[in-house]
Amino acid sequence: MASRLESMLKLAQKNVKNPVAVLSESGFIKKEILAELPIAALNLAHSGHVRGENAGISYGSHQIVGESKTFKTLFGIIQVKAYMDTYPDATCVFVDAEFGANEDYWLACGVDMSRVIHLPVSSVEEMMNVVIPMLSELTVDDHFIFFVD
C-alpha cells in the first residue's frame, strides 16, 4: 500500500496544472545565486555572503520592510539593476502601488527603463488580475524580475 505521502502527492498532481513534487526533490528551494549586488550589506542580507559566487539575490520572493522614507524603493531598484545586468535579455515588471519611484531613482541606479514594464495598480486584486496571467506565460528560461512597490 502506498504511503500517506505518496497518496497525497498523487491527489495533488491530479488537481493542479503545475508540477507537484516532494519539496526535498523539487529543486524549488535551491539557493542558486542569480545576481551579485553592488552593496556588500545587501549581499549579506540576501545570502549570508558579502562578495563572490555565493553572494547576492537568489530565487524567490524578497521583502524589504521598514519605516517610510528609509530608501526601501531604492534598494529594490538596486536589486532590479543587478538582475538586469546579469541577464541582458531580462525584463522588469514594475508593479507600482506607491507611485514614489520617480525617474531620478531609476536613472541614479542606471536602469535601462526601456526594459521595464510599468504596471500601476490601486489594489491587490487589480495586481493579481494582471500579474497571475503574466506569470502563467513565463517559462523557466525567461528572465523576468517582478518588483512590487
Side-chain angles (χ1 to χ4, degrees), residues 40-58:
L42 288 177
N43 285 324
L44 185 63
H46 280 286
S47 63
H49 298 274
V50 176
R51 292 268 179 246
E53 67 182 45
N54 294 320
I57 56 173
S58 59

Side-chain angles (χ1 to χ4, degrees), residues 122-135:
S122 57
S123 69
V124 172
E125 180 181 15
E126 182 181 12
M127 176 184 75
M128 298 308 283
N129 287 336
V130 177
V131 170
I132 296 298
M134 292 174 84
L135 289 170

Side-chain angles (χ1 to χ4, degrees), residues 25-41:
E25 300 167 5
S26 72
F28 184 74
I29 58 173
K30 61 185 170 184
K31 284 295 201 178
E32 179 183 338
I33 299 299
L34 297 173
E36 184 174 345
L37 300 163
I39 299 172

Side-chain angles (χ1 to χ4, degrees), residues 68-88:
S68 181
K69 307 290 183 203
T70 56
F71 302 101
K72 298 178 301 293
T73 300
L74 181 62
F75 290 139
I77 294 172
I78 289 168
Q79 293 170 70
V80 166
K81 169 70 169 152
Y83 182 84
M84 292 176 78
D85 283 351
T86 302
Y87 301 99

